[in-house]
Amino acid sequence: MAHSGINILFEGRNLTRLLGGLWISAKIAFIAIVLGILLGIILGMLRTLKNPLLRVILRLYLEFFRIVPTVVLLFLFYYILPQNFHINLNAEVVATLVFTLWVAAEMSDIVRSGLISVPRHQVDAGKAIGLTTPQLYRYVLLPQSIQLMIPATINLTTRVIKTTSLLLLISVMDVINVGQQIIEANNQHYQNGAFWIYGFIFILYFILCYPLSVWARHIERKEKLRNNG
Amino acid sequence: MVDTLLKVEHLNKAYGTKQVLHDINFSVTPGSVTVLLGPSGSGKSTLIRCLNGLEEFQSGQLSFEDQPIKPTPKTWQQLRQKIGMVFQSYDLFPNLTVIDNILLGPLKVQKRSKTEALKQATQLLKEVDLTDYADAFPRQLSGGQKQRIAIVRALALNPEFMLFDEVTASLDPEMVRGVLEVMLNLAKRKMTMLVVTHEMNFAQQIADNVLFLEDGAILEKTQGKQFFTHPQTDRAREFLDSMAF
């Protein structure tokens, strides 16, 4: 064997470029997750209030982001915003925006279902000692439902990280996009470059997501034990 | 001091088309204990929950300390600091320790100083014999202990009026006494109370006034303890018999 395929990873700046791509994906995912979770908590709380109009609007928002495939959302924001609203954003910003809104929508549902699973009596008890509505959420409802929300939130996080692999479709220089360029550029020298590059990307995503998945399972098991106790 | 702490006039409540409270009228004088009796489903719990705004009602006027209550969330939130309530299912906050359960209202709602509130809470815990449990979580307590803590939690706000909604109904028989003793002590100290209970001996012991409710209407309104010996209506007599009293 004149050369082993794995060397494609170490040719020139390939490795740095791949890791740089991963950094872009991770950065977009991270910002979207943090902002999305914060926004989602607020929206989730609003969805448990009794205002019917607010409920309908937030419900439609959730359904829109849940039903429309992420690719379509990305295209929608990437092509339609500049064309029809003359808002020019670079691809990374569009990606962060779309992902944030998506996370917020999904998170609002996680928070809502967590909050409504707190027994009705707890609300009465909180009101009976004079708590205001914000205090009721702050000291009673959120702390009691957060345990229930964590596993679903971690799973959402994993999904977001995985879905960053779609970012190349709006030309973000993410890890997949970089990988494809490397494969194409080295097509002559490394016929099975795709195997090594995508294999490497697989490992990178695995390293990002697997700990989260283990963590979620761990918390779920702990929760089960606690409830049995 | 006012003559009437709480006044209820022409209170009506319905769930949809089903009328659950019919033209309820009564008043509570300061320092008195009113016992609310009646068969299950007679509307006792609904009535008591109307008195601190946990249930809405269609018509009627409530007044507290001669001030008409405007039934808005804001008014109720303010009033609930003066009208304490204890529930059948204790409903301590499982995410907080005993002491934090007790201090939540005084610190966050009434914005009192931590030192002063803690001092009062410690004193109250001592009175219900639960000093050692300040840092325990509710799940580590028995039902009777939880209920005594729930009473302390309500008292920590220095209420002028206490509502007790079947507070011993979910307790094991041997736990009941401790809770009732706490209530008797409160009555001795002239706390104004409205008590829904099925403990007839206790009711007779503590009652200054009795309201007998059936099908959402007050059938008998009796001063003193004569309700238990000389009920006016056949229905009340039947009820007392059925309670083997």
Side-chain angles (χ1 to χ4, degrees):
Chain A
M1 223 162 55
H3 55 254
S4 163
I6 196 169
N7 285 329
I8 188 174
L9 293 173
F10 306 108
E11 290 260 340
R13 294 182 51 246
N14 285 358
L15 190 63
T16 343
R17 285 188 63 209
L18 278 170
L19 291 176
L22 183 74
W23 166 244
I24 302 274
S25 312
K27 190 177 69 180
I28 290 172
F30 180 77
I31 296 174
I33 287 163
V34 171
L35 294 180
I37 285 178
L38 291 176
L39 184 60
I41 290 174
I42 296 168
L43 296 182
M45 295 198 300
L46 292 177
R47 286 186 60 203
T48 60
L49 297 179
K50 279 185 188 135
N51 188 328
L53 181 69
L54 198 63
R55 276 187 177 200
V56 170
I57 293 171
L58 291 176
R59 184 67 205 268
L60 286 174
Y61 166 69
L62 166 73
E63 293 300 344
F64 178 76
F65 275 89
R66 179 178 278 170
I67 292 166
V68 179
T70 318
V71 187
V72 179
L73 287 173
L74 286 169
F75 284 163
L76 222 58
F77 278 72
Y78 190 59
Y79 293 112
I80 291 177
L81 279 186
Q83 225 168 52
N84 298 321
F85 299 96
H86 306 289
I87 305 170
N88 266 305
L89 300 172
N90 80 42
E92 278 184 39
V93 176
V94 170
T96 313
L97 180 69
V98 169
F99 275 46
T100 302
L101 292 175
W102 170 46
V103 173
E106 296 273 3
M107 190 66 197
S108 79
D109 214 36
I110 295 173
V111 170
R112 186 194 64 95
S113 60
L115 287 173
I116 58 173
S117 71
V118 177
R120 189 72 218 154
H121 287 160
Q122 288 287 317
V123 177
D124 286 346
K127 281 185 181 170
I129 58 166
L131 294 180
T132 60
T133 307
Q135 286 174 333
L136 195 61
Y137 279 89
R138 163 79 180 75
Y139 298 108
V140 179
L141 297 177
L142 279 174
Q144 286 185 38
S145 47
I146 244 158
Q147 284 290 335
L148 297 169
M149 299 175 193
I150 289 176
T153 308
I154 299 172
N155 288 335
L156 176 62
T157 304
T158 320
R159 272 165 62 210
V160 172
I161 294 173
K162 283 196 304 189
T163 314
T164 55
S165 55
L166 297 177
L167 294 180
L168 88 157
L169 295 171
I170 57 166
S171 332
V172 173
M173 267 304 168
D174 76 320
V175 65
I176 310 262
N177 209 345
V178 172
Q180 263 185 355
Q181 287 184 353
I182 293 174
I183 293 165
E184 279 160 25
N186 295 279
N187 213 0
Q188 298 287 321
H189 269 71
Y190 296 95
Q191 260 98 35
N192 58 354
F195 171 79
W196 292 102
I197 295 291
Y198 283 132
F200 183 62
I201 291 174
F202 161 80
I203 292 169
L204 291 178
Y205 269 106
F206 185 82
I207 291 171
L208 280 184
C209 292
Y210 186 66
L212 289 172
S213 159
V214 172
W215 186 30
R217 237 180 316 158
H218 173 73
I219 287 173
E220 256 168 302
R221 215 175 307 146
K222 224 170 64 178
E223 183 64 17
K224 236 177 244 160
L225 279 178
R226 233 169 61 128
N227 290 343
N228 290 343
Chain B
M1 203 171 189
V2 288
D3 296 337
T4 347
L5 189 63
L6 175 84
K7 193 166 181 184
V8 180
E9 292 167 289
H10 306 296
L11 178 74
N12 282 287
K13 173 169 177 67
Y15 290 116
T17 54
K18 191 181 180 319
Q19 183 96 7
V20 287
L21 292 174
H22 298 269
D23 193 33
I24 303 285
N25 294 282
F26 69 94
S27 53
V28 173
T29 51
S32 72
V33 177
T34 306
V35 173
L36 192 51
L37 297 175
S40 316
S42 58
K44 304 184 298 288
S45 282
T46 310
L47 174 55
I48 201 171
R49 287 166 58 85
C50 284
L51 303 183
N52 76 344
L54 291 181
E55 295 281 349
E56 292 174 355
F57 46 89
Q58 277 71 31
S59 66
Q61 181 63 54
L62 303 182
S63 317
F64 191 75
E65 294 176 322
D66 294 335
Q67 297 293 315
I69 297 171
K70 200 165 137 254
T72 62
K74 182 77 196 148
T75 319
W76 280 122
Q77 188 266 325
Q78 295 289 326
L79 261 181
R80 284 178 190 130
Q81 299 168 49
K82 295 183 176 183
I83 306 179
M85 180 155 186
V86 186
F87 303 88
Q88 176 177 345
S89 45
Y90 340 121
D91 305 322
L92 297 178
F93 307 124
N95 54 312
L96 299 176
T97 60
V98 164
I99 196 74
D100 287 340
N101 263 279
I102 299 169
L103 291 177
L104 187 59
L107 296 184
K108 302 300 173 190
V109 178
Q110 299 184 322
K111 317 266 185 230
R112 284 153 57 189
S113 89
K114 171 118 195 205
T115 341
E116 179 266 330
L118 189 63
K119 199 173 149 215
Q120 187 202 13
T122 316
Q123 175 60 28
L124 287 168
L125 277 177
K126 200 170 138 200
E127 284 167 25
V128 298
D129 274 332
L130 290 170
T131 312
D132 296 342
Y133 292 87
D135 297 317
F137 278 92
R139 62 175 176 274
Q140 296 165 292
L141 307 181
S142 72
Q145 290 170 329
K146 279 186 214 173
Q147 197 56 293
R148 280 181 280 159
I149 298 296
I151 295 174
V152 167
R153 180 174 67 179
L155 291 175
L157 294 161
N158 297 315
E160 289 159 38
F161 186 32
M162 284 286 288
L163 307 171
F164 292 90
D165 188 8
E166 302 205 31
V167 294
T168 57
S170 354
L171 295 179
D172 291 336
E174 72 257 44
M175 303 288 178
V176 171
R177 240 184 78 160
V179 173
L180 296 184
E181 262 167 26
V182 172
M183 292 165 72
L184 284 169
N185 275 330
L186 278 176
K188 254 184 232 153
R189 279 191 244 161
K190 291 295 163 199
M191 170 61 81
T192 316
M193 296 158 58
L194 183 75
V195 182
V196 174
T197 185
H198 287 296
E199 301 282 336
M200 298 306 283
N201 283 309
F202 169 70
Q204 188 175 25
Q205 206 178 341
I206 204 171
D208 294 319
N209 301 292
V210 176
L211 297 175
F212 180 67
L213 209 63
E214 180 164 86
D215 292 334
I218 295 183
L219 236 58
E220 269 190 56
K221 213 185 299 186
T222 324
Q223 296 266 316
K225 303 180 194 303
Q226 56 175 337
F227 174 83
F228 300 95
T229 46
H230 298 94
Q232 321 255 300
T233 55
D234 292 343
R235 190 61 197 93
R237 201 167 300 125
E238 265 172 52
F239 172 74
L240 288 172
D241 286 344
S242 76
M243 301 302 280
F245 184 74

